[in-house]
Amino acid sequence: MDLHTITEVVRRPAARPGADWHPGDAWLAGGTWLYSVEQPDLHRLIDLTALPWDPLVPSEAGLGIGATCTISELYACALPAEWIAAPLFAKSCEAFLSSFKVWSAATVGGNICMSLPAGPMITLTVALEARYEIWAADGSARTVDALSFVTGDNENILAPGEILRRIDIPAHALRKRTAHRRFSLTRLGRSTVFLIGTQTPGTRDLLLTVTAGTTRPLRIGFDTLPDDRTLRQRLDDLPSDIWFDDPNGTPGHRRHLTQHFAEEIRRELMAGGPG
């Protein structure tokens, strides 16, 4: 879509682009959403892809993901064998409602900052206990837990001029055993629910991440694997207004699916299923 209100595109922004932020600006990464709808309040785009941000930086501490890393780059990355949670990367990329052409443009940071309930990069990074590095317009930086970033449907904690710079996934989370479940109305449709369970090797703990069916991501932790009644009770205790409602599923439908798939995940990890 042509954006007729745009009067300037900054192709070579400063290393800290937030210092030059003005009302009517927008960060441009893949632009897969930005160019898909009218943007009447925008007048200038600041192209982040020109900045020299490494897409993927593995280290002993874990995996750093630049916010402008494309979905294609993330999907194709080769990770150390001991990071047994690595299959989640491909599964999360495949949860996009998009073609391979979009994969080549859409970015990890863009999907997170859109902050939609079905954002699969949100699911992935919350489940793997990531932390986000955020740059402010005044040159300062802060780091937040991925879980606290999205606050509602298309809502997050970013202030005007702030930018998501980097996602850091710790090595201990990448070494966890995992199980996941996802449901959509069609084979290539938007997620109605997307759940991931992780378990520390050699323990019986459980960290369950619930997304897509809720307006913001949730993580429910257990020191030891719960029985089915305890797990169901924890899900029943969630606030009634947390469940998302759109044409892909009613709150009741999403709640039912979440309970069903959470129990499947519990059983899979209890039985020592695929990591």
Side-chain angles (χ1 to χ4, degrees), residues 190-201:
R190 178 172 294 182
S191 300
T192 299
V193 296
F194 194 175
L195 286 73
I196 295 176
T198 64
Q199 186 178 68
T200 307

Side-chain angles (χ1 to χ4, degrees), residues 4 8 11 36 49 56 58 65 71 108 123 137 169 173 178 195 269:
H4 301 293
E8 182 183 2
R11 295 293 186 186
S36 69
T49 61
L56 297 158
I65 305 173
I71 304 307
V108 175
T123 309
I169 301 177
T178 67
L195 286 73
L269 292 175

